[in-house]
Amino acid sequence: MSGIEPAFWDELRRSTRARIGLGRTGDSLPTRRVLEFRSAHAAARDAVHMPLDVEALAAQVREIGIGEPAVVTSRASSRGEYLRRPDLGRVPRDVSSIPEGEFDVGVVLADGLSPRALMDHGAGLLGAMVSELAELYSLAPPVIATEARVALGDHLARAMGARTIAVIIGERPGLSVADSLGIYLTHLPSPGTPDSGRNCISNIHPPDGLDYARSAHIVARLIAGARELGASGVALKDTSRAAGVEAGDTLTVEGEASDTRTPD
């Protein structure tokens, strides 16, 4: 394909962020498409390596009104070590800043593989979750975690005394999305909980991905189902996204996980 792009490519691009119908100049891509690719690749790399602005995020989280956020870090001593040693990102260095208590739900805001995603969407998503959950459950003061992997939340849940933990974490950037969040929900967590014991809600990055309100509603449904079932993970499934179910409808508990995405 060369010259002016056919109109049907423009129509198809409305339904995907994938690189389709790129055209060609001789045997190569047009210069504009090459530059777009390089720009997207640079954005993905930057999203992984940028440091989390903990003070700015803490100020946003504080305004939501569920307590003073505690800040913890994993045993990874640097971003480079975090990327090379996923195991260190799953264990906290120190949990003494987390107040002990007994809570129905705890929330961890983790930088993960995209601190940018947490800065862009973390506070907004947390606010939507609090709106859904605050009248139903007791909520622990939030925790901000740096150099963090999903399993770090199991240790933090034990420290804060939360029966269910929701880890909001920056997802691995791609060449079309560099600021996507995921939520990993674990009921009755403990260190060593397998990935099969978690439910995942992914691709949260409005306006192009899942929005905050819808994500929070799915979280509320999963928590209700997990408390009824006594477990999260492969035995628990939220069917609302497939069936187009709206707020107020009940959760379907089936022998399948809500998402098969692997943490980290």
Side-chain angles (χ1 to χ4, degrees):
M1 186 179 68
S2 60
I4 299 175
E5 298 175 346
F8 67 85
W9 286 116
D10 294 334
E11 182 67 26
L12 287 176
R13 289 193 187 96
R14 296 178 184 177
S15 60
T16 180
R17 299 186 71 176
R19 287 175 167 75
I20 59 174
L22 299 182
R24 70 184 184 190
T25 300
D27 293 331
S28 304
L29 290 172
T31 300
R32 178 165 65 95
R33 298 304 188 187
V34 173
L35 293 177
E36 288 173 351
F37 176 86
R38 290 182 178 178
S39 176
H41 185 260
R45 287 178 59 87
D46 288 347
V48 170
H49 291 284
M50 71 171 287
L52 181 69
D53 189 338
V54 174
E55 291 186 4
L57 181 60
Q60 296 172 7
V61 169
R62 194 176 293 117
E63 292 179 357
I64 295 171
I66 58 170
E68 179 68 20
V71 179
V72 302
T73 190
S74 74
R75 291 186 180 176
S77 60
S78 66
R79 195 64 179 170
E81 186 173 51
Y82 167 78
L83 295 173
R84 294 190 302 270
R85 294 283 306 274
D87 57 314
L88 296 179
R90 299 184 182 114
V91 183
R93 186 177 303 169
D94 182 11
V95 296
S96 61
S97 63
I98 299 177
E100 296 181 8
E102 293 185 7
F103 301 96
D104 294 323
V105 180
V107 180
V108 177
L109 296 103
D111 54 1
L113 289 169
S114 179
R116 171 188 164 184
L118 193 62
M119 290 303 304
D120 288 352
H121 304 296
L125 178 56
L126 177 62
M129 289 172 59
V130 170
S131 295
E132 279 276 350
L133 302 174
E135 294 185 1
L136 301 173
Y137 308 110
S138 59
L139 303 180
V143 176
I144 297 172
T146 61
E147 313 299 1
R149 303 279 177 170
V150 171
L152 188 75
D154 300 336
H155 297 268
L156 304 184
R158 182 172 61 179
M160 69 177 72
R163 295 186 67 212
T164 304
I165 194 74
V167 177
I168 299 172
I169 191 166
E171 295 184 315
R172 182 182 294 107
L175 292 176
S176 58
V177 180
D179 64 340
S180 181
L181 285 178
I183 304 173
Y184 287 85
L185 186 84
T186 311
H187 185 61
L188 302 179
S190 62
T193 296
D195 294 341
S196 60
R198 313 186 198 283
N199 293 87
C200 175
I201 305 160
S202 63
N203 201 38
I204 305 168
H205 56 100
D208 298 307
L210 199 62
D211 63 46
Y212 305 148
R214 187 61 177 151
S215 303
H217 178 57
I218 295 171
V219 168
R221 289 162 58 86
L222 286 171
I223 291 174
R227 290 167 65 91
E228 177 184 346
L229 186 66
S232 55
V234 294
L236 180 66
K237 180 178 181 180
D238 172 47
T239 59
S240 64
R241 285 173 285 178
V245 180
E246 299 299 330
D249 293 324
T250 57
L251 183 85
T252 299
V253 177
E254 300 177 357
E256 186 175 347
S258 67
D259 197 313
T260 57
R261 181 184 294 267
T262 301
D264 305 337

